[in-house]
Amino acid sequence: MDNKDFFHKFVAFLTAVHQVTHEVTKDVKSDDLTPVQYSILEYIAVSQPVTLSQISDCQHMSMPNTSREIKKLSEKNLCEKFAVAEDRRKQYVRLSTEGEAMMNDAFTRIEARFMHRLKDASQEELEEIERALDVLHTKLFYSGKS
Amino acid sequence: MDNKDFFHKFVAFLTAVHQVTHEVTKDVKSDDLTPVQYSILEYIAVSQPVTLSQISDCQHMSMPNTSREIKKLSEKNLCEKFAVAEDRRKQYVRLSTEGEAMMNDAFTRIEARFMHRLKDASQEELEEIERALDVLHTKLFYSGKS
DNA sequence: CGATTTGCTTATCAAATGATAAGTAAAGAG
DNA sequence: CTCTTTACTTATCATTTGATAAGCAAATCG
């Protein structure tokens, strides 16, 4: 298999992943969240506590816009800021109790859809899938550097 | 490994894929295209010819908005509509010569970044990656039905 | 110490996006 | 031959998003 075919397979795979991501997360977010706000909450849920700068970097948005969205989310009582002991310029953000509840609910529904996709897989297939996830994560979808 | 760990691995993988997708496609689009317009062009490039309805479905946007964006892309001479012989209500869309050139250029740059990620992989690792792509594509990131 | 940099905020603006209403023409159904 | 449905268009509007300017306080540098 030459580079061109390999690349084509890669593109088809990315398309499939994005498609499935959409299916699996469709309608899980509350209606009074914008897509950007939901995405930020997902990031906080997985990585908390995070600073505003980290959100800005990882969500590819400017600091002013990040600040604005976090402010809105705080006003909706979904997250809260608190001081970083070592550096008083920084602010950590974490989910509020209400935010945790909302995100737990969202992840539960996503997990159910994910499991539904695997419902016909045998034990060996599940192990095969797990190994494949590891291989791609470490060898192709690794992050940063190099 | 229980369901919870498996799901966690899945989420981490999705995050990594989206992150790498972003890195690999960063700045490939011309500045006078909006993100939505570039995304439509990518879809057309891979699937042409496509009808407006197909674009609407796959890009998850309403027909009126699809029509508007295709009109803008046509005015920029990046794609063109033509009649479908069997059904005169439908319109096919394909890239124009200029659109093809632009997308070839974009894909070439994406491919270079993709290959760069694999530059240290041995032949066996490449084969392993390819098998992993196949496994996940067919068993986890398959589309539709069920 | 003073100067610069970092982390964040507020304010403002323009552009992109999403949603809806209303209309046309062709195709298909009864 | 009507009636309905499908495919698309145009117009309009509210909201979201992205970008920029200006400012402040804490940290760091020389």
Side-chain angles (χ1 to χ4, degrees), chain A residues 68-81:
Chain A
R68 175 185 61 199
E69 296 309 321
I70 292 297
K71 188 179 179 189
K72 288 182 188 168
L73 288 170
S74 298
E75 283 161 359
K76 293 178 188 190
N77 292 312
L78 295 171
C79 70
E80 50 202 23
K81 293 184 242 185

Side-chain angles (χ1 to χ4, degrees), chain A:
Chain A
M1 171 170 263
D2 66 12
N3 281 357
K4 193 164 160 293
D5 289 336
F6 206 168
F7 178 59
H8 183 265
K9 186 169 281 200
F10 172 69
V11 170
F13 181 75
L14 287 189
T15 302
V17 172
H18 286 266
Q19 167 68 24
V20 169
T21 301
H22 179 265
E23 279 173 25
V24 137
T25 57
K26 188 160 65 173
D27 301 327
V28 296
K29 75 168 194 49
S30 144
D31 281 342
D32 66 62
L33 288 179
T34 69
V36 167
Q37 286 168 1
Y38 175 77
S39 172
I40 292 173
L41 286 181
E42 264 194 349
Y43 175 64
I44 298 173
V46 169
S47 312
Q48 62 188 332
V50 288
T51 65
L52 279 276
S53 299
Q54 287 176 297
I55 297 171
S56 171
D57 286 348
C58 295
Q59 300 287 120
H60 315 110
M61 54 194 293
S62 67
M63 274 297 292
N65 293 334
T66 304
S67 181
R68 175 185 61 199
E69 296 309 321
I70 292 297
K71 188 179 179 189
K72 288 182 188 168
L73 288 170
S74 298
E75 283 161 359
K76 293 178 188 190
N77 292 312
L78 295 171
C79 70
E80 50 202 23
K81 293 184 242 185
F82 62 101
V84 175
E86 316 82 57
D87 188 336
R88 290 194 305 167
R89 289 170 304 182
K90 296 185 181 177
Q91 295 268 115
Y92 273 141
V93 183
R94 73 180 154 220
L95 296 183
S96 65
T97 307
E98 196 180 330
E100 288 280 3
M102 161 180 282
M103 294 312 289
N104 280 342
D105 184 67
F107 279 121
T108 299
R109 288 197 276 166
I110 293 170
E111 183 173 354
R113 292 178 188 173
F114 167 66
M115 289 308 167
H116 184 74
R117 299 204 139 241
L118 293 172
K119 73 179 190 321
D120 295 329
S122 67
Q123 186 57 38
E124 300 91 79
E125 282 178 318
L126 290 179
E127 281 162 19
E128 197 184 7
I129 289 169
E130 202 195 323
R131 280 194 302 276
L133 286 171
D134 286 335
V135 166
L136 293 186
H137 200 156
T138 57
K139 302 195 171 170
L140 183 51
F141 298 108
Y142 56 82
S143 58
K145 65 214 149 217
S146 182

